[in-house]
Amino acid sequence: MWQGYWDFGHHILKTVVPRRVGEPFNATELEIGFGGGRLLGPASRFFGKVIGVDIHDNFNEVRAILEAQGIANAELAKGDGRSLPVPDQSIDFVYSFIVLQHLPLLSTLNAYFADVKRVLKPGKAACLYVGHLPFNWRGIKYLDLETRRVETSRDNTLLLRPTQTRRMLKDAGLR
């Protein structure tokens, strides 16, 4: 659980977020690829409403985890893997952390970028963390700080360079 708080505070709440989002307790945020919900917990402590979108079918398990933490301001939404099931200009802050590099195609990433632009309120912010790895990291081990188990990392399916990603964001109307 604490690793989620560290990652949310260190990687997601960037300097631009307070300036762009304003008062977070009155704001709605959306996470693309919430997985097991480890970042939704920390996000729920900052934002008035949090929405997690993912393609998996483990929503009951994630809801139980969030409820066990006393989190009542989180909604989970089933995504189709290309778009965000929320109304236009309804979100104050969008984030995704180490998810987008696992998408199957660049066209899928472009679709997500376009949908982020669609759902954000004018002038609001997104933090889309995309791994830019110069090598195949198959088989590299890491220590899960919560369970203390050694795990094997997952491969990236998209090899993205920062310049390419910036160009894709610009083409979607994001900066």
Side-chain angles (χ1 to χ4, degrees):
M1 178 172 81
W2 295 112
Q3 182 66 40
Y5 280 86
W6 173 261
D7 285 338
F8 191 77
H10 183 72
H11 295 290
I12 305 301
L13 293 180
K14 303 287 186 180
T15 310
V16 71
V17 174
R19 288 191 316 238
R20 293 287 183 156
V21 173
E23 176 58 57
F25 298 111
N26 296 320
T28 300
E29 72 79 30
L30 181 137
E31 179 181 357
I32 301 170
F34 67 83
R38 76 183 185 92
L39 297 179
L40 284 175
S44 74
R45 307 299 186 196
F46 289 93
F47 292 92
K49 179 180 177 182
V50 296
I51 302 169
V53 175
D54 212 320
I55 61 171
H56 65 68
D57 293 316
N58 300 318
F59 282 44
N60 290 336
E61 293 86 345
V62 175
R63 277 190 194 94
I65 291 167
L66 295 173
E67 287 172 7
Q69 296 175 32
I71 296 166
N73 63 336
E75 293 180 12
L76 305 180
K78 179 79 169 173
D80 63 5
R82 292 185 62 85
S83 62
L84 303 169
V86 297
D88 295 358
Q89 297 183 354
S90 62
I91 305 295
D92 297 289
F93 180 59
V94 176
Y95 72 89
S96 186
F97 182 65
I98 60 173
V99 171
L100 299 174
Q101 69 268 15
H102 298 295
L103 296 175
L105 302 166
L106 285 175
S107 61
T108 305
L109 182 59
N110 279 321
Y112 267 123
F113 286 167
D115 232 33
V116 166
K117 175 68 172 169
R118 177 188 67 80
V119 303
L120 274 176
K121 293 177 182 176
K124 298 300 181 174
C127 179
L128 305 173
Y129 189 101
V130 179
H132 298 286
L133 299 176
F135 57 88
N136 181 346
W137 58 325
R138 179 186 305 263
I140 290 184
K141 304 286 185 184
Y142 70 94
L143 176 65
D144 183 308
L145 295 178
E146 189 167 315
T147 65
R148 298 291 186 208
R149 290 191 328 232
V150 174
E151 303 284 353
T152 303
S153 66
R154 297 185 182 119
D155 284 333
N156 287 344
T157 51
L158 297 179
L159 179 58
L160 299 165
R161 301 283 185 236
T163 54
Q164 175 188 19
T165 305
R166 281 192 291 277
R167 185 173 56 251
M168 292 169 66
L169 289 165
K170 183 178 178 186
D171 289 348
L174 301 166
R175 56 183 179 103

